[in-house]
Structure formats: structure tokens, C-alpha cells
Amino acid sequence: MRLSSSKIRGVTALEILDSRGNPTLRAGVELEDGSAGWANVPSGASTGAHEAHELRDNDPARYRGKGVRQAAENVRGPLAAAVKGLPAGDCRRVDEALREADGTKNKSRLGANALLAVSLAAARAAAASAGQPLWRCLCPEEKKILPVPMMNILNGGAHAANNVDIQEFMIIPRGVPSFGEGLRRCAEVYHALGAILRERGLGSGVGDEGGFAPDLSSDEEALELILRAIGRAGYRPGDEVGLALDAAASEWMQEGGVYHTPKGGKVRTPEELAEYWAGLAAQYPILSLEDGMAEDDWQGWQLLTRRLGTRMQLVGDDLFVTNIRRLKRGLEEGAGNAILIKPNQIGTLTETLEAVSMAQEKGWGVVMSHRSGETEDPIIADLAVATGCGQIKSGAPCRSERTAKYNRLLEIEAEMAGMG
Ligand code: 2PG
Ligand code: MG
């Protein structure tokens, strides 16, 4: 990292709101040379059981128990004390100090939300001190690539009050010359889908990530509508725009190891679920499937990977929770072939980057991701470029907390062009 060596002088914290109207945390870090950085932490609705601990106040009198005043106090108190005087650009040292101050395995004492806010804000402050955008400070020369958007255009599951069970229906532009062109293609398909839904009287209200959230008769109907939208926008489904799904199947797992879709009421064994995905893959141009099995169903994941792993990307989100211990198990056992990266699942920048590197070294796919509860902070755009991960999931081209990341990538694309 080519970040400044200026030392941390002070750390601040603020309880703010995320895009779902719940409190979340912002931290600010000020350096001795007067530079400063801030960062907001997002929050998920379909949270994996193995994620680092998100500290909430649990005081029913405030924000339905979801306040983060204690996490803010932890930033101002023990975490500030732990990092004061450290060079902000030495991310590893800063993050180690944060982890030591917490002292638990899953950051449950001071809160992963508290640690991550300081970790990211410190990196931002160091980049500001170096007079460089964050992506450039973190980015080894050879990795300067912009990610392809994996854009969510139809929401279901825990992200929408409709009767669709698959959480995210996404599109991926193929063979585009630039990030901006890929983004345009996706936005055009999004508008075409909106027009089709309106024509059919299906409603064009949106879900948590900005994708449309119509009531449909089945998940297949959603896929059919999206194929139609791709065609209506003037593109060839498959060749020019592919499909990606996030089933978020941890939400479907029931006692006894069977999957039960809460809205459609389908009950399937892991074998039947793998067959279902194989059937969909045979029928539709699905390039990527995330959380096609549940977070603790390692056998189901192996089964799915044997069945479809050579045909498509199989992304572990709840399965790996951006944690190298779980990723290592996946690599050893052949569970999945790609990882979703969400910094708040693990709680520090360096651990996030470690998970990316481990996956990249093994030739796995890497997708940088937002959360369903987001803020205007676009930092994952910088992280996607810095790591050269190649793919980003940031919702629909709708709702500013989603477009903030895409717009930041457009900015970075322009910054790169200016660098020559
Ligand atoms: C996911 C995410 C983001 P959440 O499951 O991949 O799309 O959702 O933040 O609710 O976990
Ligand atoms: Mg997911």
C-alpha cells in the first residue's frame, strides 16, 4: 500500500440511517497532518449466521432496538484509544490494534460495525493524506481493472414484499468495451423491464436494492420477463446480457436439512434443489448462482459444485462470510468456485483484502458486494478496483445508495483515462 505515514490524531463516530431506515455507524478519522477520512457501515437483511457481530443497542425504546449508540461509544472510547498515534496508512497495524481492543473471535465485544467504520475511515484518511483516491493507493499497478456490474433488476426473498422466493435476479453485460458501456446496457434493460411490468399491470414498485418487486406466479416467470426485457432493450440474451441469481437459500433451510421456500411453499431435499438449479441453468443463460445452498449445508454445496461447477460461477455469500477460515474449507472441500465479498461480514479492511487474495490465488471468482441496507458511501467501488476482483453487485440503477457505487466507478473510469 502506498498510503501516507501520518499518524492518527482523533476518531469520531455518528449514528446515522441506512437505506432501510435503520441506524448504522459512521466513523471519522483525523490525522496529525490535518487530513481526514470518513466511512459508513452498511447492514444486511439476509444476514449470514457466521458473520462477525453487528452490535445493536437492543433498547426497544429507540429504533425498535436497532440503535448503534453503544457501537458509536466503542468507536469514541476503546477503539479510538487503540489506534491513536498509529500511522493510518499501515492498515494492517491499525486493524490489528482494532482486533486486539475487541479481543473476541467474531468482534462481539465492541462490534464488527464499530471496528469496520474505523478501519475504512483510517484508510480513507491515509489516502487523503497521500493526495490519492483510495483505489489507487491500495492498487498494485497490474490490477487496474474496473468490475463488471452484476446488476439486480428484480427483487424477491427477504428483500421484497412480493411472492417471489429467489432474492435477487441480476443481469451481467458481456463483451462490453468499458464499465460505462456495461452500465448503460444494464440500465436500458432495467427500463425495458419496468415498461413490460407496467404494460402487464404488474406494478413497478421497487425492493430494497432498487430492483422491481412485482407479484409473479413463479421464479421462472421472473426469468422469462427479464429475457423479454433484454430483447426489448435490443440485446441478445446470453450473448450480450447474461443472468445471475442470488437465491439466498440459507433463508429456506428448515430443521432436518430440507429446503422450504417461504413464499412458494416448495419443499426440496438438497439433491432436489441441485436438480432444480441444473434445470434452470439448462433453460436460461444463467452465468452465476449465489447461495444456491444454505450456509451450513457443506454437502449440498459440494453436490451443487459437482453438478454445475464447471458450467457456471457458484458464489458463496452466507457460506463464506468473507472469512478466510470458511473460504479455506470451501477450497479444500470443493464447495463453490467463487466468493462474495462484504467488508462488514468480517469487520476490517485487511481481513477483507485477505479473503479476496486467497480466492484470487486459487483462481476463484470474486464479487465485491453492497448490503441490502446501504448508505451513500461508495467505498466498495474503490475496493473493487483496488483488488481487481472483476465483478460488483450494487443493486439496480435506482436509489442513490445503489447508484453511488456505480457513479463512483464511472468517476474512477474517468480518473484512469486521465492517468493515460
Ligand atoms: C446478499 C445481500 C446483498 P443482504 O444476500 O447478497 O445483495 O443481501 O445485505 O440482505 O445480506
Ligand atoms: Mg447473497
Side-chain angles (χ1 to χ4, degrees):
M1 280 177 213
R2 288 176 285 124
L3 295 169
S4 128
S5 59
S6 184
K7 297 197 169 99
I8 295 175
R9 181 161 66 194
V11 183
T12 59
L14 194 63
E15 182 186 61
I16 60 166
L17 287 183
D18 74 12
S19 58
R20 293 163 54 90
N22 294 319
T24 191
L25 208 53
R26 170 178 298 174
V29 166
E30 200 195 342
L31 307 189
E32 285 177 357
D33 69 1
S35 310
W38 60 274
N40 296 345
V41 174
S43 177
S46 61
T47 312
H50 303 286
E51 296 192 17
H53 185 73
E54 180 181 69
L55 190 66
R56 299 264 179 206
D57 296 337
N58 296 321
D59 169 4
R62 294 187 74 248
Y63 289 116
R64 303 175 304 139
K66 287 180 174 282
V68 292
R69 272 184 172 169
Q70 184 56 52
E73 274 310 309
N74 295 346
V75 169
R76 293 185 200 108
L79 294 176
V83 299
K84 244 180 223 173
L86 295 182
D90 191 343
C91 297
R92 189 162 293 278
R93 228 171 121 195
V94 169
D95 290 350
E96 265 165 23
L98 294 171
R99 282 207 304 274
E100 267 168 35
D102 174 76
T104 67
K105 245 188 163 165
N106 66 344
K107 307 181 177 76
S108 56
R109 197 171 79 83
L110 301 177
N113 41 350
L115 269 74
L116 183 68
V118 179
S119 173
L120 295 178
R124 272 240 181 84
S129 170
Q132 298 279 356
L134 184 61
W135 66 268
R136 207 157 154 191
C137 291
L138 296 172
C139 175
E141 291 301 312
E142 72 276 11
K143 280 189 178 171
K144 274 182 202 154
I145 59 160
L146 283 144
V148 174
M150 191 183 272
M151 184 182 277
N152 180 351
I153 60 172
L154 201 147
N155 292 186
H159 290 176
N162 61 1
N163 57 1
V164 175
D165 274 303
I166 291 177
Q167 179 178 282
E168 299 166 28
F169 293 80
M170 296 171 280
I171 49 174
I172 303 176
R174 303 188 78 190
V176 281
S178 65
F179 170 77
E181 280 302 289
L183 187 65
R184 177 172 70 83
R185 204 175 273 189
C186 291
E188 289 168 0
V189 173
Y190 177 75
H191 285 292
L193 180 61
I196 292 170
L197 293 174
R198 279 189 298 276
E199 282 162 22
R200 299 184 178 202
L202 284 168
S204 53
V206 300
D208 290 347
E209 299 186 346
F212 297 112
D215 271 335
L216 301 174
S217 60
S218 65
D219 290 337
E220 285 81 349
E221 189 185 358
L223 290 164
E224 290 294 338
L225 287 167
I226 291 170
L227 287 191
R228 204 168 280 275
I230 293 170
R232 170 88 66 100
Y235 300 109
R236 287 191 308 278
D239 286 351
E240 292 180 312
V241 179
L243 305 180
L245 300 175
D246 179 3
S250 302
E251 305 279 317
W252 305 349
M253 188 43 119
Q254 298 281 300
E255 296 275 313
V258 292
Y259 290 86
H260 181 267
T261 56
K263 297 173 178 179
K266 294 250 165 36
V267 180
R268 297 185 183 102
T269 63
E271 290 75 13
E272 286 165 348
L273 187 56
E275 270 322 300
Y276 173 67
W277 296 132
L280 280 191
Q283 222 180 326
Y284 299 98
I286 299 170
L287 307 177
S288 179
L289 171 64
E290 179 182 329
D291 284 358
M293 293 280 165
E295 58 203 350
D296 287 315
D297 189 3
W298 292 93
Q299 279 191 354
W301 268 97
Q302 288 171 23
L303 190 83
L304 180 67
T305 309
R306 281 197 301 274
R307 187 80 174 77
L308 288 174
T310 53
R311 295 252 307 273
M312 64 163 76
Q313 178 170 265
L314 298 172
V315 187
D317 170 13
D318 291 352
L319 180 70
F320 299 133
V321 290
T322 317
N323 183 323
I324 55 169
R325 260 187 324 110
R326 293 184 66 89
L327 174 60
K328 201 157 168 278
R329 178 165 177 193
L331 287 160
E332 284 164 6
E333 296 184 7
N337 58 24
I339 182 171
L340 197 79
I341 298 290
K342 293 167 166 170
N344 84 321
Q345 284 180 325
I346 189 69
T348 63
L349 175 60
T350 45
E351 287 167 290
T352 303
L353 299 177
E354 268 168 32
V356 175
S357 300
M358 183 183 275
Q360 284 175 331
E361 274 160 26
K362 302 290 179 192
W364 275 33
V366 178
V367 185
M368 191 62 60
S369 174
H370 64 161
R371 299 302 310 242
S372 50
E374 263 297 335
T375 77
E376 59 277 24
D377 188 341
I379 198 161
I380 57 163
D382 281 71
L383 298 185
V385 177
T387 56
C389 69
Q391 303 172 75
I392 190 167
K393 209 171 89 149
S394 180
C398 170
R399 302 180 57 133
S400 304
E401 79 279 4
R402 311 295 150 190
T403 55
K405 281 70 166 172
Y406 295 131
N407 290 341
R408 174 72 190 128
L409 287 164
L410 290 171
E411 243 172 53
I412 294 175
E413 191 161 58
E415 281 169 12
M416 279 184 176
M419 281 163 48

